[in-house]
């Protein structure tokens, strides 16, 4: 009935030596499995007894596992040398990654839900971009305002705030204005109709390449570049941010202005940003996040999840993450000089201004002509305001540098 001590010691040595691949809880799970299998072999257990034993094991252990580790009862997939915490979102993300890596290995890398999400994003911006440009100009992102400033519904003040957002992000990231140190090559990930790329190209004389899922946006961005005499500096194409069509280490500045919220795989998104960055390059991510969870929290509150889901459904967003989640991903890639800030107070006037512009005669006519996806997006704008006011939604900037 007893398991030989030598076998136990041999197995224990094997599991302990695998600490970089499995967590302590997973080691305990492996030990449990080992003892069950070994005992079954020694007892020559009847198949029915074996099935009963397996059922009882998981009847007893599943509640404990879910309470500590979540709903995935299997190993996580980690990058070599990952520093894995004892529990929490890092481990759960690794378990989800295990599923994704298995699907990818089997040649099922683009699931139906992911394809549907990408198609929805492309169609949303195909329909809405012309309306946005007509009312707001060529920057399809928040403006940066002084606290308590009341932004007009549209017009030059708002467009100046959008340009200021780009400049504030560049300054926060420490992008040099010295011609010798300024970026020479830039990728604009989720480029919209190219507003950021054209701004950066003018400011630094850099070559910029933008990618978007929307064929309309890519075509319009190239047309605007030609009109403004920048066709030799900037170019745009339809491409997936999770599978960028660029070689490793190509860009001095990797720029993502409000596109991260659309990414269904944040780990792969950040990994692609780091891959195309040249040694020493700066990476800038400006994105929507949810609040950082408290030490005792395992997830957002039910009302918060419900609130974000309504926004996700309208804007074709996958699950949200926090600024802390982004930092963990960047650290796992050994990126340096990681900085973050919550700029929610500086964008507070934005959504009220968008709503005011939508309620003008011009805005209403444009919405009706643009299609249901744009109208659905307009209807959830008050939820964005409420999310900011309640501290659920955070407008975050995250910057870092790729090691030399």
């Amino acid at each position: 009935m007893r398991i030989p001590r030598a076998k136990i010691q041999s197995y224990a040595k094997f599991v302990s030596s695998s600490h970089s691949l499995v967590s302590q809880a997973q080691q305990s799970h492996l030990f449990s499995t080992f003892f069950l299998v070994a005992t079954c072999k020694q007892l020559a257990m009847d198949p029915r007894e074996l099935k009963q034993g397996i059922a009882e094991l998981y009847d007893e252990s599943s509640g404990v596992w879910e309470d500590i580790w979540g709903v995935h009862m299997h190993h996580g997939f980690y990058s070599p040398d990952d520093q894995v915490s004892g529990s929490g979102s890092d481990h759960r993300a690794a378990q989800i990654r295990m599923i994704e890596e298995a699907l990818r290995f089997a040649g099922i890398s683009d699931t139906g839900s992911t394809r549907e999400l990408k198609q929805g994003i492309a169609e949303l911006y195909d329909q809405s971009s012309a309306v946005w440009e007509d009312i707001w100009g060529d920057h399809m992102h928040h403006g940066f305002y002084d606290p308590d400033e009341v932004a007009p519904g549209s017009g030059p003040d708002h467009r100046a705030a959008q340009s200021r957002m780009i400049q504030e992000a560049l300054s926060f990231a420490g992008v040099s204005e010295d011609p010798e140190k300024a970026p020479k090559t830039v990728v604009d990930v989720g480029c919209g109709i190219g507003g950021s790329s054209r701004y950066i190209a003018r400011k630094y004389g850099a070559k910029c390449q933008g990618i978007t899922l929307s064929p309309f946006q890519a075509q319009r961005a190239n047309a605007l570049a030609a009109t403004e005499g920048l066709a030799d500096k900037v170019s745009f194409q339809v491409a997936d941010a999770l599978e960028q069509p660029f070689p490793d280490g190509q860009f001095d500045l990797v720029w993502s202005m409000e596109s991260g919220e659309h990414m269904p795989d944040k780990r792969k998104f950040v990994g692609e940003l780091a891959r195309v960055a040249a040694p020493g390059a700066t990476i800038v991510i400006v994105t929507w996040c949810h609040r950082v969870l408290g030490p005792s929290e395992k997830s957002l509150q039910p009302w918060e999840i419900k609130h974000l889901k309504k926004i996700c459904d309208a804007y074709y967003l996958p699950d949200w993450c926090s600024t802390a989640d982004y930092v963990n991903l960047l650290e796992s890639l050994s990126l340096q000089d990681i900085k973050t800030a919550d700029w929610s107070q500086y964008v507070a006037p934005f959504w009220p201004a968008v709503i005011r512009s939508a309620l003008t005669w011009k805005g209403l006519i444009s919405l009706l002509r643009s299609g249901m996806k744009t109208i659905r997006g307009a209807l959830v704008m008050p939820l964005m305001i409420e999310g900011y006011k309640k501290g659920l939604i955070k407008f975050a900037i995250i910057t870092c540098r790729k090691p030399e």
Side-chain angles (χ1 to χ4, degrees), residues 24-45:
Q24 290 181 350
Q26 289 172 316
Q27 292 176 23
S28 298
H29 184 65
L30 288 173
F31 273 120
S32 300
T33 305
F34 166 71
F35 279 115
L36 177 64
V37 173
T39 302
C40 290
K41 287 182 177 179
Q42 290 194 357
L43 295 177
M45 185 176 285

Side-chain angles (χ1 to χ4, degrees), residues 148 242 386:
D148 303 320
L242 301 184
E386 183 182 356

Side-chain angles (χ1 to χ4, degrees), residues 137-188:
D138 60 350
H139 295 294
M140 300 188 67
H141 57 77
H142 284 68
F144 189 103
Y145 306 87
D146 293 322
D148 303 320
E149 181 179 349
V150 178
S154 60
D157 290 346
H158 177 77
R159 296 179 188 187
Q162 290 176 305
S163 294
R164 183 181 174 189
M165 173 62 74
I166 300 172
Q167 183 54 51
E168 293 288 345
L170 291 168
S171 297
F172 182 85
V175 178
S176 177
E177 299 194 12
D178 182 340
E180 295 298 321
K181 299 178 181 179
K184 304 295 188 297
T185 54
V186 180
V187 62
D188 187 353

Side-chain angles (χ1 to χ4, degrees), residues 20-23 26 69 72 74-84 89-105 265 267 329 332:
S20 64
L21 299 178
V22 297
S23 64
Q26 289 172 316
W69 292 101
H72 297 289
H74 56 75
H75 283 66
F77 189 103
Y78 306 88
S79 299
D81 303 321
D82 267 359
Q83 297 296 316
V84 184
S89 59
D90 288 352
H91 177 76
R92 295 175 190 183
Q95 290 176 305
I96 293 172
R97 185 182 177 192
M98 174 63 77
I99 299 171
E100 294 169 345
E101 293 291 343
L103 290 169
R104 189 173 295 115
F105 183 83
D265 186 339
R267 179 181 290 274
L329 291 174
S332 73

Side-chain angles (χ1 to χ4, degrees), residues 339-403:
K339 296 196 303 179
T340 70
D342 177 5
W343 280 1
S344 300
Q345 65 173 327
Y346 299 110
V347 301
F350 176 78
W351 287 100
V354 174
I355 291 174
R356 286 196 297 273
S357 70
L359 295 177
T360 63
W361 179 251
K362 179 180 180 180
L364 290 170
I365 295 298
S366 298
L367 281 174
L368 292 173
R369 288 176 175 172
S370 64
M372 280 305 301
K373 285 183 170 61
T374 307
I375 293 172
R376 286 174 60 204
L379 292 175
V380 300
M381 289 177 188
L383 295 179
M384 291 295 297
I385 297 175
E386 183 182 356
Y388 277 122
K389 287 183 176 179
K390 291 185 175 180
L392 168 61
I393 298 175
K394 301 295 184 180
F395 189 86
I397 179 168
I398 307 112
T399 67
C400 62
R401 184 176 58 83
K402 188 172 182 176

